[in-house]
Amino acid sequence: QVQLVESGGGLVQAGGSLRLSCAASGHTFSSYAMGWFRQAPGKEREFVAAISWDGVTYYADYVKGQFTISRTNYKKTVYLHMNSLKPEDTAVYYCAATPRFSILYTRSDEIEYWGQGTQVTVSS
């Protein structure tokens, strides 16, 4: 069993920054690909960013240049650095884990493990 716990969400003004963290336990973290998703009120969950076990990254077009995903394997933690935040970035952000990197951005319905989410609210 894999457990994922997100933290770092909160309320921030437009233009500000936040760093989300996702701490993993219960598996060989370094062999898993990790990703971030978000779900805004009334909208479907959407892909944000992914990182492979060896650091290859992939981003949704709408966050390229604004968000950065990174990981520290010995800490079993993945991060999402969010800059220049906009009100439309307001959502619950979820961490995900899977052995298969590509499904993070192609078949999220097949992802094995999810965190409980952390709320990010960007005020205008």
Side-chain angles (χ1 to χ4, degrees):
Q1 190 68 17
V2 175
Q3 296 83 42
L4 302 172
V5 179
E6 301 97 333
S7 61
L11 174 64
V12 63
Q13 288 189 331
S17 299
L18 278 177
R19 187 185 76 165
L20 305 183
S21 300
C22 173
S25 62
H27 72 298
T28 306
F29 178 79
S30 59
S31 65
Y32 273 66
M34 304 294 294
W36 287 96
F37 292 76
R38 67 186 183 186
Q39 186 167 20
K43 295 187 177 181
E44 292 189 353
R45 183 182 65 201
E46 63 181 11
F47 168 75
V48 174
I51 187 165
S52 69
W53 67 273
D54 58 350
V56 175
T57 58
Y58 188 89
Y59 295 93
D61 286 343
Y62 37 82
V63 302
K64 279 183 181 176
Q66 182 190 3
F67 292 1
T68 302
I69 189 171
S70 63
R71 64 190 294 162
T72 302
N73 284 343
Y74 78 91
K75 290 185 177 181
K76 295 188 175 183
T77 302
V78 63
Y79 305 96
L80 186 67
H81 306 259
M82 305 186 294
N83 297 316
S84 303
L85 284 162
K86 300 169 278 191
E88 50 264 44
D89 294 317
T90 294
V92 177
Y93 284 71
Y94 297 92
C95 175
T98 175
R100 298 167 289 168
F101 178 56
S102 64
I103 73 163
L104 286 166
Y105 51 89
T106 58
R107 297 293 304 272
S108 63
D109 56 313
E110 296 182 12
I111 292 171
E112 291 88 341
Y113 304 107
W114 294 89
Q116 83 290 348
T118 185
Q119 176 71 47
V120 172
T121 303
V122 184
S123 63
S124 57

